[in-house]
Tab-separated table of all heavy atoms in Angstrom:
chain	number	residue	atom	x	y	z
R	470	GLY	N	65.160	-12.922	-1.209
R	470	GLY	CA	66.503	-12.373	-1.304
R	470	GLY	C	66.506	-10.934	-1.779
R	470	GLY	O	65.547	-10.438	-2.341
R	471	ILE	N	67.599	-10.242	-1.557
R	471	ILE	CA	67.750	-8.859	-1.992
R	471	ILE	C	68.913	-8.793	-2.969
R	471	ILE	O	69.998	-9.274	-2.685
R	471	ILE	CB	68.009	-7.923	-0.794
R	471	ILE	CG1	66.818	-7.971	0.168
R	471	ILE	CG2	68.245	-6.497	-1.266
R	471	ILE	CD1	67.029	-7.154	1.429
R	472	LEU	N	68.694	-8.194	-4.105
R	472	LEU	CA	69.717	-8.107	-5.138
R	472	LEU	C	69.879	-6.642	-5.554
R	472	LEU	O	68.904	-5.959	-5.816
R	472	LEU	CB	69.315	-8.947	-6.351
R	472	LEU	CG	70.338	-9.006	-7.483
R	472	LEU	CD1	71.570	-9.767	-7.045
R	472	LEU	CD2	69.725	-9.671	-8.696
R	473	THR	N	71.106	-6.181	-5.610
R	473	THR	CA	71.335	-4.773	-5.936
R	473	THR	C	72.436	-4.593	-6.968
R	473	THR	O	72.924	-3.491	-7.143
R	473	THR	CB	71.729	-3.983	-4.672
R	473	THR	OG1	72.915	-4.563	-4.108
R	473	THR	CG2	70.614	-3.995	-3.646
R	474	ASN	N	72.829	-5.639	-7.674
R	474	ASN	CA	73.991	-5.526	-8.553
R	474	ASN	C	73.720	-5.940	-9.997
R	474	ASN	O	74.614	-6.330	-10.724
R	474	ASN	CB	75.165	-6.356	-8.002
R	474	ASN	CG	74.810	-7.821	-7.843
R	474	ASN	OD1	73.657	-8.172	-7.677
R	474	ASN	ND2	75.816	-8.666	-7.871
R	475	ILE	N	72.467	-5.850	-10.445
R	475	ILE	CA	72.151	-6.155	-11.838
R	475	ILE	C	72.597	-5.001	-12.727
R	475	ILE	O	72.411	-3.834	-12.393
R	475	ILE	CB	70.637	-6.401	-12.027
R	475	ILE	CG1	70.221	-7.687	-11.310
R	475	ILE	CG2	70.284	-6.499	-13.503
R	475	ILE	CD1	68.735	-7.962	-11.386
R	476	SER	N	73.174	-5.342	-13.871
R	476	SER	CA	73.579	-4.319	-14.832
R	476	SER	C	72.674	-4.342	-16.057
R	476	SER	O	72.048	-3.338	-16.387
R	476	SER	CB	75.036	-4.533	-15.267
R	476	SER	OG	75.421	-3.582	-16.244
R	477	TYR	N	72.624	-5.494	-16.738
R	477	TYR	CA	71.864	-5.609	-17.985
R	477	TYR	C	71.075	-6.901	-18.024
R	477	TYR	O	71.435	-7.892	-17.371
R	477	TYR	CB	72.802	-5.579	-19.198
R	477	TYR	CG	72.902	-4.238	-19.880
R	477	TYR	CD1	73.714	-3.231	-19.363
R	477	TYR	CD2	72.189	-3.963	-21.042
R	477	TYR	CE1	73.812	-1.994	-19.986
R	477	TYR	CE2	72.275	-2.744	-21.673
R	477	TYR	CZ	73.087	-1.764	-21.140
R	477	TYR	OH	73.161	-0.547	-21.754
R	478	PHE	N	70.000	-6.871	-18.809
R	478	PHE	CA	69.233	-8.072	-19.123
R	478	PHE	C	69.384	-8.358	-20.615
R	478	PHE	O	69.356	-7.441	-21.436
R	478	PHE	CB	67.742	-7.883	-18.826
R	478	PHE	CG	67.408	-7.623	-17.387
R	478	PHE	CD1	67.171	-6.336	-16.931
R	478	PHE	CD2	67.336	-8.669	-16.479
R	478	PHE	CE1	66.857	-6.087	-15.612
R	478	PHE	CE2	67.022	-8.436	-15.147
R	478	PHE	CZ	66.782	-7.144	-14.717
R	479	THR	N	69.517	-9.626	-20.962
R	479	THR	CA	69.535	-10.035	-22.358
R	479	THR	C	68.465	-11.109	-22.570
R	479	THR	O	68.519	-12.176	-21.958
R	479	THR	CB	70.908	-10.587	-22.782
R	479	THR	OG1	71.899	-9.574	-22.622
R	479	THR	CG2	70.882	-11.021	-24.241
R	480	PHE	N	67.492	-10.789	-23.416
R	480	PHE	CA	66.440	-11.745	-23.770
R	480	PHE	C	66.779	-12.329	-25.130
R	480	PHE	O	67.015	-11.595	-26.093
R	480	PHE	CB	65.081	-11.039	-23.845
R	480	PHE	CG	64.614	-10.453	-22.539
R	480	PHE	CD1	64.979	-9.169	-22.172
R	480	PHE	CD2	63.809	-11.186	-21.677
R	480	PHE	CE1	64.543	-8.611	-20.977
R	480	PHE	CE2	63.373	-10.642	-20.479
R	480	PHE	CZ	63.745	-9.352	-20.137
R	481	ARG	N	66.799	-13.658	-25.216
R	481	ARG	CA	67.084	-14.328	-26.482
R	481	ARG	C	65.942	-15.282	-26.837
R	481	ARG	O	65.333	-15.900	-25.957
R	481	ARG	CB	68.404	-15.085	-26.414
R	481	ARG	CG	69.634	-14.186	-26.358
R	481	ARG	CD	70.920	-15.008	-26.461
R	481	ARG	NE	72.095	-14.153	-26.556
R	481	ARG	CZ	72.765	-13.658	-25.518
R	481	ARG	NH1	72.354	-13.960	-24.290
R	481	ARG	NH2	73.819	-12.888	-25.682
R	482	PHE	N	65.697	-15.414	-28.134
R	482	PHE	CA	64.644	-16.295	-28.621
R	482	PHE	C	64.939	-16.643	-30.073
R	482	PHE	O	65.853	-16.070	-30.696
R	482	PHE	CB	63.263	-15.636	-28.494
R	482	PHE	CG	63.159	-14.295	-29.162
R	482	PHE	CD1	62.710	-14.164	-30.460
R	482	PHE	CD2	63.527	-13.140	-28.476
R	482	PHE	CE1	62.622	-12.932	-31.077
R	482	PHE	CE2	63.439	-11.886	-29.083
R	482	PHE	CZ	62.988	-11.791	-30.388
R	483	LYS	N	64.202	-17.605	-30.607
R	483	LYS	CA	64.398	-18.013	-31.999
R	483	LYS	C	63.901	-16.908	-32.922
R	483	LYS	O	62.737	-16.508	-32.868
R	483	LYS	CB	63.630	-19.308	-32.277
R	483	LYS	CG	63.855	-19.866	-33.669
R	483	LYS	CD	63.100	-21.174	-33.860
R	483	LYS	CE	63.306	-21.733	-35.262
R	483	LYS	NZ	62.579	-23.011	-35.460
R	484	PRO	N	64.758	-16.390	-33.797
R	484	PRO	CA	64.368	-15.256	-34.643
R	484	PRO	C	63.474	-15.663	-35.805
R	484	PRO	O	63.460	-16.811	-36.237
R	484	PRO	CB	65.706	-14.714	-35.152
R	484	PRO	CG	66.604	-15.912	-35.175
R	484	PRO	CD	66.174	-16.761	-33.998
R	485	LYS	N	62.721	-14.691	-36.301
R	485	LYS	CA	61.971	-14.804	-37.541
R	485	LYS	C	62.505	-13.729	-38.473
R	485	LYS	O	62.396	-12.542	-38.184
R	485	LYS	CB	60.472	-14.597	-37.303
R	485	LYS	CG	59.772	-15.786	-36.710
R	485	LYS	CD	58.260	-15.602	-36.806
R	485	LYS	CE	57.532	-16.869	-36.362
R	485	LYS	NZ	56.070	-16.741	-36.532
R	486	LEU	N	63.081	-14.143	-39.594
R	486	LEU	CA	63.784	-13.200	-40.451
R	486	LEU	C	62.850	-12.379	-41.322
R	486	LEU	O	63.134	-11.236	-41.652
R	486	LEU	CB	64.800	-13.946	-41.322
R	486	LEU	CG	65.885	-14.681	-40.550
R	486	LEU	CD1	66.817	-15.401	-41.508
R	486	LEU	CD2	66.683	-13.720	-39.689
R	487	LYS	N	61.721	-12.956	-41.738
R	487	LYS	CA	60.852	-12.240	-42.667
R	487	LYS	C	60.035	-11.192	-41.922
R	487	LYS	O	59.339	-11.501	-40.965
R	487	LYS	CB	59.906	-13.226	-43.356
R	487	LYS	CG	59.192	-12.642	-44.576
R	487	LYS	CD	58.430	-13.736	-45.306
R	487	LYS	CE	57.790	-13.203	-46.573
R	487	LYS	NZ	57.055	-14.240	-47.305
R	488	ILE	N	60.118	-9.933	-42.354
R	488	ILE	CA	59.432	-8.867	-41.635
R	488	ILE	C	58.355	-8.197	-42.460
R	488	ILE	O	57.685	-7.300	-41.993
R	488	ILE	CB	60.421	-7.787	-41.145
R	488	ILE	CG1	61.102	-7.093	-42.328
R	488	ILE	CG2	61.425	-8.359	-40.198
R	488	ILE	CD1	61.957	-5.908	-41.919
R	489	GLY	N	58.157	-8.563	-43.701
R	489	GLY	CA	57.074	-7.956	-44.456
R	489	GLY	C	57.428	-7.726	-45.905
R	489	GLY	O	58.463	-8.174	-46.393
R	490	TYR	N	56.572	-7.027	-46.594
R	490	TYR	CA	56.760	-6.739	-48.003
R	490	TYR	C	57.160	-5.275	-48.169
R	490	TYR	O	56.523	-4.384	-47.618
R	490	TYR	CB	55.468	-7.032	-48.770
R	490	TYR	CG	55.099	-8.485	-48.742
R	490	TYR	CD1	54.344	-9.004	-47.708
R	490	TYR	CD2	55.534	-9.351	-49.742
R	490	TYR	CE1	54.008	-10.341	-47.669
R	490	TYR	CE2	55.201	-10.689	-49.713
R	490	TYR	CZ	54.437	-11.180	-48.677
R	490	TYR	OH	54.112	-12.506	-48.640
R	491	ILE	N	58.212	-5.026	-48.933
R	491	ILE	CA	58.766	-3.680	-49.064
R	491	ILE	C	58.478	-3.135	-50.456
R	491	ILE	O	58.751	-3.791	-51.461
R	491	ILE	CB	60.282	-3.674	-48.802
R	491	ILE	CG1	60.569	-4.290	-47.424
R	491	ILE	CG2	60.828	-2.260	-48.873
R	491	ILE	CD1	62.042	-4.382	-47.099
Side-chain angles (χ1 to χ4, degrees):
I471 299 176
L472 183 68
T473 59
N474 58 334
I475 293 177
S476 177
Y477 261 80
F478 297 99
T479 299
F480 297 88
R481 290 187 174 87
F482 55 93
K483 184 178 179 180
K485 282 193 173 184
L486 299 179
K487 194 172 184 180
I488 63 173
Y490 295 87
I491 305 178

